[in-house]
């Protein structure tokens, strides 16, 4: 799904990541409700295992892109996003459903929005550089 090229493909890849990102909310909500009780929390916690994380940490991005404030912000927020998702699953797995739901619809939603905003800003910067 993600491309190993620079330029316009990066813009498309970030857009795909934003779409996938929205699906996480559904997965986490279902996990809290018990529908996905077997989700691998350590896999979820790792920010380099999802498709976007593999793309983000891959070798196709230039050194200039990697030191940009946009990349740095997305990388940091993406890692925090995964940590928070794992915390939601940890709470759900330990039977603390009210706390899991509170975290999901509180801090997680806020973090999710911050990540999308950072990804959109990066996209706009990439488009401007075209």
């Amino acid at each position: 799904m993600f491309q190993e090229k620079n330029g316009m493909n990066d813009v498309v890849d970030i857009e795909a990541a934003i779409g996938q990102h929205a699906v996480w909310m559904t997965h986490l909500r279902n996990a809290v409700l018990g529908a996905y009780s077997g989700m691998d929390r350590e896999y979820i916690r790792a920010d380099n295992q999802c498709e976007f994380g593999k793309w983000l940490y891959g070798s196709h991005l230039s050194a200039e892109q990697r030191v940009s404030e946009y990349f740095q912000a997305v990388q940091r927020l993406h890692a925090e996003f995964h940590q928070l998702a794992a915390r939601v699953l940890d709470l759900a797995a330990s039977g603390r459903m009210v706390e899991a739901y509170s975290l999901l619809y509180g801090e997680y939603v806020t973090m999710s929005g911050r990540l999308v905003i950072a990804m959109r800003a990066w996209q706009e910067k990439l488009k401007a550089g075209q």
Side-chain angles (χ1 to χ4, degrees):
M1 168 174 220
F2 290 91
Q3 307 295 313
E4 291 287 330
K5 298 175 184 171
N6 290 329
M8 195 57 172
N9 284 331
D10 292 339
V11 172
V12 171
D13 288 342
I14 292 170
E15 189 64 35
I18 291 169
Q20 286 182 341
H21 174 268
V23 173
W24 275 90
M25 181 73 154
T26 302
H27 289 310
L28 287 175
R29 183 173 41 84
N30 287 337
V32 171
L33 295 172
Y36 293 150
S37 59
M39 289 181 82
D40 182 347
R41 293 189 305 274
E42 291 311 310
Y43 172 81
I44 300 301
R45 193 177 319 279
D47 70 323
N48 64 348
Q49 296 301 305
C50 68
E51 288 301 312
F52 181 67
K54 290 175 184 176
W55 178 86
L56 191 64
Y57 287 98
S59 61
H60 65 284
L61 294 173
S62 70
E64 181 181 335
Q65 285 175 301
R66 290 184 184 285
V67 298
S68 77
E69 66 182 281
Y70 300 97
F71 174 88
Q72 296 292 321
V74 167
Q75 184 182 41
R76 179 182 50 79
L77 291 168
H78 183 248
E80 290 175 20
F81 171 82
H82 276 270
Q83 292 298 312
L84 200 50
R87 279 183 42 212
V88 169
L89 291 176
D90 288 342
L91 289 169
S94 67
R96 297 162 61 190
M97 300 308 187
V98 172
E99 290 174 70
Y101 238 65
S102 292
L103 184 60
L104 179 64
Y105 286 104
E107 191 178 342
Y108 177 85
V109 168
T110 300
M111 170 56 67
S112 183
R114 290 176 58 215
L115 177 56
V116 169
I117 289 168
M119 293 167 92
R120 291 272 183 228
W122 191 13
Q123 267 187 319
E124 291 306 313
K125 176 63 176 171
L126 290 169
K127 286 178 188 176
Q130 299 296 319

